[in-house]
Amino acid sequence: MSRYEDDEQFRLFVQRQWGRLLRTAYLLTGDRGTAEDLVQSALEKTHRRWGRVLRRDAPEVYVRRAMVNTAISWRRRRRPLEVPLLTSDSASMPDAYAQVEERQLLLTALRRLPPRTQAVLVLRYFEDLSEADTARVLGCSVGSVKSQASRGLARLRVEFAPPAPQSPVGLQEEPA
């Protein structure tokens, strides 16, 4: 295959996959600008090896693996500063934006997970990849994907568990 044909195939691949790759990158980074940088970086790495990628691996798998590895590497280098919220900032009011707020809380909770667990959850549940495909993208075993997903979901469930009901002060029984 000529260099021109390779470049044309790569261009078509980017056109078809850009939206999905950007969504995955956003879920991995939590910021649209950083997500665009992540996709660009992964596509740059993929383009350099495009001929080999086509022969050996599915391009989607290679790009996602590059995105996950790059996101983990960036996260290690740039520890984000966490800004504590005031209690008034975190109080949610039921309104028309409740779904958007809940999604934002989910993304925030997802960011607090370890990078590999975060990658497993994004690939499995947001990208809807099978356990085998997720394992292939991450270069690990299916069992590792299952355990990471289980632990990650358990942590998210704890974050989103409804608060335990408290009995009213006046109705508490006194010890006999």
Side-chain angles (χ1 to χ4, degrees), residues 23-126:
R23 182 181 67 216
T24 300
Y26 178 77
L27 292 168
L28 290 170
T29 63
D31 177 74
R32 180 159 175 102
T34 305
E36 289 173 352
D37 291 346
L38 179 60
V39 173
Q40 288 291 337
S41 179
L43 288 172
E44 178 186 1
K45 292 173 185 176
T46 303
H47 187 259
R48 280 190 249 140
R49 295 168 183 81
W50 185 247
R52 284 181 278 168
V53 168
L54 285 177
R55 286 190 302 272
R56 286 187 19 190
D57 212 353
E60 297 86 2
V61 171
Y62 188 90
V63 173
R64 282 195 184 101
R65 183 179 298 147
M67 286 171 42
V68 167
N69 291 340
T70 304
I72 290 171
S73 143
W74 286 358
R75 195 165 167 188
R76 284 185 187 135
R77 270 186 276 166
R78 298 186 233 168
R79 293 285 179 195
L81 296 174
E82 290 188 26
V83 178
L85 297 176
L86 300 172
T87 53
S88 62
D89 292 340
S90 62
S92 62
M93 299 295 224
D95 59 19
Y97 298 102
Q99 185 178 10
V100 174
E101 290 173 4
E102 190 170 297
R103 183 178 304 140
Q104 192 59 42
L105 290 172
L106 175 61
L107 291 173
T108 301
L110 190 62
R111 289 292 152 273
R112 287 194 292 263
L113 296 175
R116 290 294 273 193
T117 304
Q118 181 181 348
V120 165
L121 293 179
V122 166
L123 294 173
R124 280 285 292 129
Y125 301 107
F126 289 96

